[in-house]
Amino acid sequence: MTSATKTAGVGAPARPGTAPGGGALAGTGTLVRFALRRDRVRLPVWILALLLGTLSTANSYAELYGTPEDRANAVETMGSPAGLAMSGPRHYLDDYTSGAMLGHQMLGFTAVLVGLMSVLVITRHTRAEEETGRAELLRSTVVGRHAHLAAALSVAALANLVLGLLLALGLGGLGIDGVDAGGSLLYGATHVAAGLVFAGVAAVTAQLTAHARGATGTALAVIGAAYVLRAAGDSGENGALSWLSPIGWAQRTYVYVDDDWWPLLLCLALAAGCAATGFALSTRRDVGAGIRPQKPGRPVASPALGTPLGLALRLHRGMLAGFGAGLFLMGAMYGSILGQAEDMLKDIDQLQEALERIGGTGIAEAFASMVMVVVAVVAAVYVVMAALRARAEETAGRAEPLLATGLSRGRWAGSHLAVAMGGGTLALLVAGLGFGIAGAASTGDGGLVPRLVGAALAYAPALWVTVGVAAVLFGWLPRASAAAWIVPVYAFVVGYLGQILRFPGWMNDLSPFGHVPRLPAADLDWTPLLVLTLVAAGLVWLGLAGLRRRDLETK
């Protein structure tokens, strides 16, 4: 197949950028309806989770900081450089109502989640379609070369608009002091603008590489860089670095304080520019290829690639490196405020009660134990993605040629599971190391480094159980493999939020993370860790047994 033919689509006219019976956007409407059909579960779950999380947080702020004295105490604790880095610009503190708290402490965090939703929508309906060959098949019909990207951007924009509208209506209807209708409309619009920016970023990264994971990873790196620039700027003297970040622009609407709309123009301009760049770059490459040429491989493969484990490590190394770096920075950020934990939390009754239930010799240790749940959940996100990589290899048709050789199914899938378990443990190690180093610098207690590293590693058996659940689903119910995401989501809701909202203890017992000793506040108990390890081994064995007994799903 020639390059011109591949660019125009099989069976299309030789002139690139056209489709039989239409222009470059022919078939966009049909693809939009198809994408909405495919995402009929994913997008509602994303939107409802973000909506309910925001509404519950707004209610919590109104209850926790119901008096001017409570809010004044919050201003004092959040005004430190570490507090501003974790939240937002200092100007919100000038009139710290419940609405200002929401914009200050939540907007940057939810902007990251909205960006993640948008990135996944774009790469799923563009680069992933090309990687599986479906895009080329569709473009052999009356589908223009820009239709897939235009449809993906339309779906992402629609999802963000629905989320923004629901946020505006939901927050405006709460009847909370300081959360008015005008500010709520701006709050929703800010989420729309942030989502559009990162959808545009993903439209560009989808053109750069031939692989969906590479496009997603690059876009997520941009989101991470935007958050880091925002945090560095807000904790500095003049906040200049925050103006280099679209998340910083979103927070500088000063929602519920000044209600400035004009920073959203910057977001819309950047989103439009990125989308236009994505369309322009798509005309400079073949279908299934990326702008960035692939590096030629070595003439002779390394001996490690001749083994299932070596190949799995090669496939997972990018994602593992990204999660490792992210968790190290996350641990360091939490560690940097560990020395101020007592002052920051002393006036928040519900958090104080939650920390007292955890125990320990002081608030810093109890706070570290609570934060460690969040670190473990993020590591669990990695292990689910890594454990399900075998499923992606199967559905993409790359597993069948490997298994046609002397490689057994158990060794092939087991290598991916081994990397997930080992990589998750390594991610916990670096997170604990970052937490410990920054915590020791913040508190002056050098002994925190080994204690926090040990506290992080205590969650390794729970991660292994998470891998085992994914293995069982992959082996016996491959079409339901995505249900493995329930484990980290449930662990976060019950293990972290449940401590503050006082969920019953039996709910925590349903999660493998609920059986891990809450180090460094609690004493080490090896029994639950050994039981979790045995459960993980049994689940992995069961999953591999199921894989041996079922047919492979191929393209």
Side-chain angles (χ1 to χ4, degrees):
M1 182 179 294
T2 66
S3 175
T5 304
K6 288 186 70 178
T7 303
V10 178
R15 183 168 64 89
T18 63
L25 297 176
T28 299
T30 301
L31 290 178
V32 168
R33 293 192 296 273
F34 179 54
L36 290 174
R37 167 75 177 175
R38 292 179 62 197
D39 287 351
R40 64 188 182 276
V41 175
R42 285 180 174 87
L43 287 180
V45 168
W46 268 105
I47 292 170
L48 286 175
L50 289 169
L51 174 65
L52 295 177
T54 300
L55 296 181
S56 64
T57 301
N59 277 319
S60 297
Y61 288 154
E63 293 175 4
L64 293 173
Y65 305 96
T67 66
E69 292 77 13
D70 293 334
R71 291 191 289 273
N73 290 329
V75 169
E76 185 179 346
T77 57
M78 297 304 298
S80 66
L84 295 173
M86 296 292 290
S87 53
R90 186 181 297 274
H91 182 56
Y92 279 97
L93 303 178
D94 294 342
D95 184 17
Y96 216 40
T97 63
S98 296
M101 284 186 179
L102 192 66
H104 186 225
Q105 299 184 33
M106 280 292 290
L107 192 52
F109 174 66
T110 52
V112 171
L113 296 179
V114 171
L116 175 60
M117 177 185 72
S118 300
V119 166
L120 294 178
V121 168
I122 298 298
T123 55
R124 172 175 166 79
H125 296 295
T126 55
R127 176 52 64 185
E129 291 295 285
E130 294 187 41
E131 192 173 357
T132 58
R134 289 190 292 265
E136 188 170 18
L137 179 64
L138 288 174
R139 283 178 54 179
S140 67
T141 63
V142 188
V143 173
R145 69 167 300 110
H146 293 323
H148 276 93
L149 181 55
L153 288 169
S154 299
V155 171
L158 179 61
N160 284 293
L161 284 170
V162 170
L163 173 62
L165 179 61
L166 291 176
L167 285 172
L169 294 175
L171 291 171
L174 288 177
I176 297 175
D177 259 354
V179 182
D180 55 20
S184 299
L185 184 61
L186 176 58
Y187 191 87
T190 301
H191 285 73
V192 176
L196 292 178
V197 167
F198 293 116
V201 169
V204 174
T205 62
Q207 315 307 319
L208 301 180
T209 177
H211 303 288
R213 287 178 179 268
T216 301
T218 305
L220 295 183
V222 173
I223 295 177
Y227 188 85
V228 169
L229 285 172
R230 194 282 311 159
D234 290 341
S235 62
E237 291 295 329
N238 54 17
L241 286 176
S242 296
W243 287 104
L244 301 177
S245 166
I247 298 177
W249 302 343
Q251 287 192 315
R252 271 152 182 76
T253 57
Y254 295 120
V255 60
Y256 299 118
V257 178
D258 295 337
D259 287 344
D260 291 333
W261 285 79
W262 69 265
L264 299 188
L265 297 177
L266 298 175
C267 293
L268 295 178
L270 179 58
C274 288
T277 302
F279 282 116
L281 291 177
S282 70
T283 64
R284 299 177 178 274
R285 64 177 182 85
D286 290 340
V287 178
I291 292 292
R292 186 177 61 191
Q294 292 183 326
K295 295 180 180 179
R298 297 177 180 178
V300 179
S302 66
L305 288 179
T307 65
L309 184 60
L311 177 60
L313 280 171
R314 178 65 176 267
L315 294 175
H316 289 259
R317 64 180 181 179
M319 184 170 63
L320 177 57
F323 268 90
L327 279 166
F328 182 85
L329 291 175
M330 181 181 179
M333 289 180 65
Y334 279 118
S336 67
I337 64 173
L338 197 57
Q340 306 168 34
E342 186 167 356
D343 292 334
M344 293 176 64
L345 305 176
K346 64 182 179 182
D347 298 309
I348 306 178
D349 293 337
Q350 284 182 277
L351 280 176
Q352 284 279 1
E353 293 173 5
L355 294 174
E356 287 174 5
R357 288 194 296 271
I358 292 175
T361 58
I363 288 182
E365 284 193 347
F367 176 71
S369 300
M370 180 180 284
V371 167
M372 207 61 76
V373 176
V374 182
V375 171
V377 167
V378 176
V381 171
Y382 161 75
V383 301
V384 171
M385 294 178 67
L388 295 182
R389 180 61 187 266
R391 172 64 179 166
E393 295 292 302
E394 177 188 3
T395 55
R398 294 187 289 268
E400 192 173 22
L402 290 175
L403 297 176
T405 65
L407 178 63
S408 68
R409 293 188 183 191
R411 291 182 63 204
W412 166 71
S415 63
H416 287 282
L417 299 178
V419 171
M421 297 170 80
T425 305
L426 180 61
L428 287 175
L429 174 64
V430 297
L433 192 60
F435 201 173
I437 293 173
S442 175
T443 62
D445 180 7
L448 275 176
V449 177
R451 293 206 302 273
L452 291 180
V453 169
L457 289 176
Y459 282 91
L463 289 188
W464 302 340
V465 172
T466 305
V467 173
V469 171
V472 169
L473 291 169
F474 170 60
W476 293 94
L477 300 169
R479 293 183 181 273
S481 295
W485 287 106
I486 294 174
V487 179
V489 171
Y490 184 85
F492 176 76
V493 172
V494 175
Y496 181 68
L497 298 180
Q499 296 178 65
I500 301 172
L501 302 177
R502 298 184 181 180
F503 287 180
W506 64 265
M507 293 184 66
N508 198 42
D509 293 339
L510 296 177
S511 168
F513 296 84
H515 298 277
V516 176
R518 303 302 296 273
L519 304 175
D523 295 328
L524 177 61
D525 183 0
W526 286 99
T527 302
L529 301 183
L530 293 174
V531 171
L532 286 173
T533 302
L534 292 175
V535 170
L539 290 173
V540 169
W541 176 85
L542 183 62
L544 294 177
L547 177 63
R548 296 188 188 97
R549 286 165 171 78
R550 68 171 176 87
D551 293 334
L552 287 181
E553 294 185 22
T554 58
K555 294 174 63 176

